[in-house]
Amino acid sequence: MGEIILTPLEVLLKAVRKEMKIDINLIKGRARYREVCEARQMFCHLARLHTDETTIAIGKAINRDHSSVVYSHKSMSNLCDSSKRLSISRNYIEADVLPKMKVEQKVKVCEHCKQVIHE
């Protein structure tokens, strides 16, 4: 088995998936269900707050353009101020992901199919 190093955006995306219980493919996809949109917007909001990545790079991580990232960041910021549920989710994700973003994250990859092995 090989190993790869996760970028801060990948670490953040995994944390959002875990806390909000939304599949990564749905976050990267075109689904417009409320839960999926909230997870996507939460990712953009936290990526803008806690990474040095550009809006273009953040958008590329979830198959969106930079204007979607700007809108999502502003929208989720307002939603977290007014929604206790989303504010709590944001706090859990930040508590989970901030220590991990400072350290290199290595994951195991299957040599045959090149898929990440989730533990």
Side-chain angles (χ1 to χ4, degrees):
M1 281 184 265
E3 289 185 343
I4 60 171
I5 298 173
L6 296 178
T7 65
L9 290 178
E10 291 169 333
V11 172
L12 183 60
L13 192 58
K14 284 178 63 174
V16 170
R17 175 195 58 84
K18 179 179 161 188
E19 174 62 32
M20 301 188 90
K21 297 172 180 65
I22 302 292
D23 187 48
I24 289 177
N25 292 327
L26 286 175
I27 294 173
K28 291 181 176 183
R30 291 287 171 197
R32 294 179 65 183
Y33 301 111
R34 178 179 173 179
E35 297 82 15
V36 176
C37 290
E38 286 176 349
R40 195 178 296 132
Q41 288 180 343
M42 184 68 74
F43 169 76
C44 293
H45 175 63
L46 293 173
R48 289 294 293 155
L49 288 177
H50 300 295
T51 66
D52 295 331
E53 298 291 338
T54 63
T55 55
I56 295 170
I58 295 167
K60 188 180 273 190
I62 56 170
N63 301 323
R64 296 291 188 281
D65 63 358
H66 74 283
S67 61
S68 298
V69 174
V70 172
Y71 173 81
S72 295
H73 172 57
K74 186 183 289 188
S75 176
M76 186 51 66
S77 178
N78 293 334
L79 283 172
C80 285
D81 290 341
S82 63
S83 170
K84 188 171 184 177
R85 175 182 60 87
L86 290 173
S87 179
I88 290 170
S89 292
R90 179 183 64 188
N91 292 340
Y92 279 131
I93 294 168
E94 286 176 334
D96 180 36
V97 78
L98 289 181
K100 292 178 183 175
M101 289 174 70
K102 293 177 176 48
V103 180
E104 280 188 354
Q105 291 292 306
K106 295 182 181 179
V107 293
K108 295 179 182 175
V109 178
C110 178
E111 292 177 4
H112 300 289
C113 62
K114 306 296 185 214
Q115 295 290 322
V116 175
I117 299 171
H118 298 285
E119 297 174 354

